[in-house]
Amino acid sequence: MRQIVLFLLLFSSTIYAREYTLMEETVVFPGRVSRINPTAKLIRLKIEFENAKFLNKNNRIEIWNESFPERRCLTYLEGRTNDYLLLRIPEYKKCRKTIYFATGSYLHMYSPDLENSLVTAKELVQILQRKHMALNARLSRYQSEVDGFIEKVDVVNKRYEVLRQKLELEWQKELTALEEDKTRAYQNFKQTQARLNDLEFKLRKYRVRDQNLKEDRWSLDPNLYYRK
């Protein structure tokens, strides 16, 4: 009987360990418990997690103590800021017995809803990157056209230098046409540059950080807490 129990314990530990190692690092993140409200079944956690911007209210979030990854509690997101998450624990008493936590406890979190949001965000980033490459190529082409106009003007000047007097009218028409082309190309360049800047802003906005788990140095006194 003792051998069967030992086998089951080892088997369950192996399952949870495999589940954790297969999770993407972008959806597993740490947090420090900063406040607990047992009556309202709420806890607030201090986080340093850039991908938290993809979390939305009522998203499911699993929490666990890093020492016992197989013991997890289900929570729901009530609200968030850049630095804090407010979680609601429906089965609060059961959760306190399953994973012990108190103010200052260090917990790990995983959200399947966050994972889905990150997949969508990564697909959007891929689309934006393809557009970024196309606009970059177009910008380079227009830049080459703009930079090449000085050389083109010199060629025209040399061509008509000997026949300046006889071909004055034709020369002026050629230069005028070149100036019009230059203005049009410069306008295209500026418009494309503006679109490229807008795309780069969107890329920064939806960029997904690849690493979330960080070594945490902390103090129970918020005034003494700082990150190294």
Side-chain angles (χ1 to χ4, degrees):
M1 183 65 180
R2 292 179 59 186
Q3 292 178 344
I4 295 176
V5 173
L6 180 61
F7 172 77
L8 291 176
L9 289 174
L10 291 174
F11 181 73
S12 62
S13 299
T14 302
I15 292 177
Y16 280 110
R18 183 175 181 272
E19 180 182 1
Y20 180 79
T21 55
L22 290 178
M23 287 179 181
E24 294 187 19
E25 293 184 359
T26 51
V27 294
V28 176
F29 56 98
R32 183 79 62 185
V33 178
S34 66
R35 182 172 297 180
I36 301 175
N37 188 334
T39 304
K41 300 180 180 180
L42 297 173
I43 62 171
R44 188 181 71 180
L45 295 100
K46 177 73 168 59
I47 60 170
E48 293 180 4
F49 179 49
E50 291 188 14
N51 290 342
K53 62 186 177 183
F54 295 101
L55 286 169
N56 300 303
K57 186 175 181 179
N58 294 325
N59 278 175
R60 295 177 53 184
I61 300 178
E62 298 175 11
I63 62 174
W64 67 91
N65 190 304
E66 61 178 339
S67 300
F68 304 98
E70 71 280 2
R71 302 177 185 176
R72 302 189 178 190
C73 282
L74 178 62
T75 69
Y76 293 89
L77 182 64
E78 284 293 312
R80 68 169 176 82
T81 65
N82 292 333
D83 299 319
Y84 291 94
L85 294 182
L86 182 64
L87 304 182
R88 172 171 51 87
I89 308 176
E91 300 182 6
Y92 180 81
K93 292 183 179 179
K94 180 180 179 181
C95 186
R96 288 298 296 268
K97 293 179 181 179
T98 302
I99 59 168
Y100 174 78
F101 60 84
T103 302
S105 295
Y106 184 79
L107 301 177
H108 280 201
M109 288 166 277
Y110 162 75
S111 171
D113 297 316
L114 172 63
E115 188 169 13
N116 294 333
S117 297
L118 291 183
V119 170
T120 302
K122 288 179 180 178
E123 292 174 353
L124 178 59
V125 166
Q126 291 176 354
I127 295 173
L128 293 175
Q129 285 177 337
R130 288 195 291 269
K131 291 184 177 180
H132 185 273
M133 291 177 60
L135 285 175
N136 247 334
R138 185 181 300 179
L139 182 68
S140 298
R141 185 170 68 253
Y142 290 145
Q143 181 70 61
S144 297
E145 291 183 12
V146 172
D147 293 340
F149 274 108
I150 296 178
E151 182 179 352
K152 290 181 180 179
V153 171
D154 290 338
V155 171
V156 172
N157 288 337
K158 290 179 181 179
R159 186 195 307 173
Y160 289 97
E161 184 174 1
V162 177
L163 302 175
R164 181 189 299 260
Q165 295 180 355
K166 287 183 65 174
L167 301 177
E168 180 73 21
L169 180 61
E170 183 178 350
W171 178 33
Q172 291 300 325
K173 289 182 179 179
E174 187 79 7
L175 289 177
T176 300
L178 285 173
E179 287 297 327
E180 291 176 351
D181 290 342
K182 177 181 178 181
T183 301
R184 184 165 48 253
Y186 183 75
Q187 291 175 345
N188 291 334
F189 167 76
K190 296 298 291 185
Q191 291 173 357
T192 304
Q193 187 177 50
R195 293 180 61 190
L196 181 63
N197 292 338
D198 183 58
L199 269 175
E200 290 176 344
F201 170 78
K202 292 180 180 178
L203 283 172
R204 290 192 298 270
K205 180 178 179 181
Y206 292 103
R207 183 172 292 117
V208 175
R209 178 62 61 88
D210 292 328
Q211 296 291 334
N212 301 315
L213 300 182
K214 305 176 180 177
E215 180 180 356
D216 187 69
R217 302 180 182 272
W218 61 278
S219 171
L220 292 179
D221 186 347
N223 294 324
L224 298 179
Y225 177 84
Y226 63 94
R227 178 183 174 191
K228 293 185 177 179

